Amino acid sequence: MSQHKYEMMFIADPSLDDRALKKLSEQYLEIVTKEGGSIDKADYWGRRKLAYEIDGNTEGNYAVINYSCEPAVSDELDRVMNLSESIIRTKILRKDAK
């Protein structure tokens, strides 16, 4: 299987501070690195107002991560993040799709 490039944006619990947000994302990104993938760029936007209320939250901690891995690894990352209590929303886009 070949690796693909992905961009993931996730919104985490607004009560997390910067350190907790980075620790949380590193914990999930370990799924990618353990399977031979790489983290290309991590951009933490911090706390922002949400466009609409999600699960009672009006704010969230935003992070955008660019990474490369096999499709099955990205699917697993998405699955695990969607199960997390600390993650409000995730969106993963494949960047090298034709």
Side-chain angles (χ1 to χ4, degrees), residues 7-11 67 78 82 89-93:
E7 180 176 84
M8 170 180 61
M9 173 185 261
F10 71 88
I11 306 171
Y67 63 96
D78 194 34
N82 281 314
R89 195 64 108 236
T90 62
K91 182 69 179 172
I92 298 177
L93 300 173

Side-chain angles (χ1 to χ4, degrees), residues 43-97:
D43 196 7
Y44 299 98
W45 294 4
R47 216 158 128 174
R48 304 261 175 114
K49 191 165 173 38
L50 299 174
Y52 52 90
E53 192 174 299
I54 303 172
D55 300 333
N57 293 297
T58 56
E59 290 186 327
N61 270 308
Y62 283 73
V64 179
I65 314 288
N66 291 301
Y67 63 96
S68 303
C69 66
E70 292 181 6
V73 177
S74 191
D75 292 345
E76 176 64 7
L77 176 65
D78 194 34
R79 186 189 74 78
V80 171
M81 289 187 80
N82 281 314
L83 294 173
S84 170
E85 296 280 321
S86 301
I87 305 291
I88 297 171
R89 195 64 108 236
T90 62
K91 182 69 179 172
I92 298 177
L93 300 173
R94 193 165 135 198
K95 299 300 281 178
D96 59 3

Side-chain angles (χ1 to χ4, degrees), residues 2-6 93-98:
S2 63
Q3 292 199 349
H4 297 289
K5 291 185 179 299
Y6 295 92
L93 300 173
R94 193 165 135 198
K95 299 300 281 178
D96 59 3
K98 304 220 171 353

